[in-house]
Each structure stands twice: as structure tokens, then as C-alpha cells.
Amino acid sequence: MDALTALHTRNSAPSLVEPAPGPEARDAIFTAALRAPDHGRLRPWRFLIVEGEARGRLGERLAAVAAEANPGISEQESVKLRNAPMRAPLLVIVAARLQESPKVPEIEQMLSAGCAAHAVLIASHALGFGAIWRTGPVTYLPGLNSALGLEESERVVAFLYLGSIVGELKPLPQHAHGDFVSSWEG
Ligand SMILES: Cc1cc2nc3c(=O)[nH]c(=O)nc-3n(C[C@H](O)[C@H](O)[C@H](O)COP(=O)(O)O)c2cc1C
């Protein structure tokens, strides 16, 4: 698939099953991710691969983080979090590794990590796999980093779910460019 077709046709895939991208596809996917624009060449990215039984352990940790922040969490919400990682055979957690820099503010490092996450989505799609970017409130809870083994200076920007698509995807939304694009002439 050529680059423009991949960019024009990416569509989030909420229902994902085996097979997940294998070693060769992962190579291509992470090569794409590591081409994210990166001010100051800080390489402000970290990717955690979660698959197999580790997904169950991730779900337990997410539920524990949510319960720590809100001891009154409902059983329904807790079960949802425990099961969330089982929605795809492969998860890629993308974190921004924020670094002190006199010329690259945190926002730029976060954006760079977001671009890397987008590259994972596009590359997966170009290879014929489905993917979806998810977060949810647990992403921003203070206990998440230690639950995932991340440093305090890191910020999770995406839980990317990857696998093979089942079912129909939604029609691609058709946006009018004019609603978003205009000339700025000073
Ligand atoms: C930072 C970020 C976080 C997101 N979190 C969620 C989420 O938690 N759950 C969800 O269903 N979609 C989430 N989305 C939206 C989906 O990834 C996707 O963009 C949306 O379903 C629309 O599909 P489309 O992008 O293929 O048109 C998130 C998107 C971004 C950029």
C-alpha cells in the first residue's frame, strides 16, 4: 500500500483477533515509529509490548490503579478494566520519555510520542492489520507509571491495540477540507 493510500484509508478497528503482527511486521512497524519527528533528537519514546498472558496481568494492574484512586469504583468498571487488554492479541503502550531540555519543551516531546503512535497505526494498516488507539481515565492516574514500571518522568500517551480485523469497519468519515483549512494571509 502506498503512503497516501495508507494515510487516507486508516480506520480504527475495535474488534481484533489473532494473528497479531509477527516479527517481520513488528520490525516494519517500529521502524516507522522511530521515524517520528523528534526535535533535538531526544528520542523521547518508549514502547511496551503486551501480549499473551501479560495482558491479563496488565488488566489486573489497571484495575488496581483505578481502585487506588477511587476505592468506591464499581465492580462493573473494575471488570471492564481487567478485561480491556484482552480486546486484541497485541498491545503497544506508547510513552513519552520526557527529558529536561533547554530548547525542547515537554509538549513537543509529547507530540513526538503521539506521532510515533500514529506511525504505528499507519504502518499496521499498510501491512493489512487492524489497530485502534485507546486511553481512558486510568491513563492519567498517578499510580499508572509504577504499575507499568515506568519512570516518573514518562507519560503514557497511547494504548495501541493491534491484530487482525473481524467484522465490518465503520465507513470512513468524509470531512470537508474547508471546515478545517483556510489561507492565512496576515
Ligand atoms: C489520544 C487519543 C485517545 C483515545 N482514546 C480512546 C479511547 O479510550 N477509547 C476509544 O474508543 N477511542 C479512543 N480514541 C479514538 C479512537 O482511536 C479513534 O480515533 C476513533 O474511534 C475514531 O476512529 P477513526 O480515527 O478511525 O476515525 C482515542 C484517540 C486519541 C488520539
Side-chain angles (χ1 to χ4, degrees), residues 2 41 51 81 154 185:
D2 68 79
R41 296 195 171 81
E51 58 192 328
L81 282 167
E154 295 179 300
E185 290 166 7

Side-chain angles (χ1 to χ4, degrees), residues 29-114:
I29 288 167
F30 289 112
T31 299
L34 299 181
R35 281 305 307 131
D38 167 21
H39 192 182
R41 296 195 171 81
L42 296 179
R43 317 288 186 238
W45 322 294
R46 189 200 297 225
F47 307 92
L48 300 177
I49 290 177
V50 186
E51 58 192 328
E53 292 182 1
R55 292 174 304 159
R57 293 191 286 278
L58 173 62
E60 294 297 333
R61 301 269 177 100
L62 296 179
V65 168
E68 191 186 354
N70 171 20
I73 186 173
S74 70
E75 180 58 17
Q76 191 188 7
E77 192 54 32
S78 181
V79 168
K80 194 173 158 198
L81 282 167
R82 280 203 294 274
N83 291 337
M86 309 311 290
R87 291 178 289 192
L90 175 67
L91 277 76
V92 178
I93 302 173
V94 184
R97 311 183 90 159
L98 300 179
Q99 294 151 53
E100 290 285 334
S101 163
K103 64 170 186 173
V104 188
E106 284 191 3
I107 179 68
E108 295 191 0
Q109 299 178 46
M110 295 287 282
L111 288 167
S112 182

Side-chain angles (χ1 to χ4, degrees), residues 111-143:
L111 288 167
S112 182
C115 289
H118 188 234
V120 170
L121 297 182
I122 296 292
S124 300
H125 171 54
L127 292 164
F129 291 98
I132 184 165
W133 180 335
R134 296 184 190 270
T135 50
V138 73
T139 310
Y140 309 108
L141 291 177

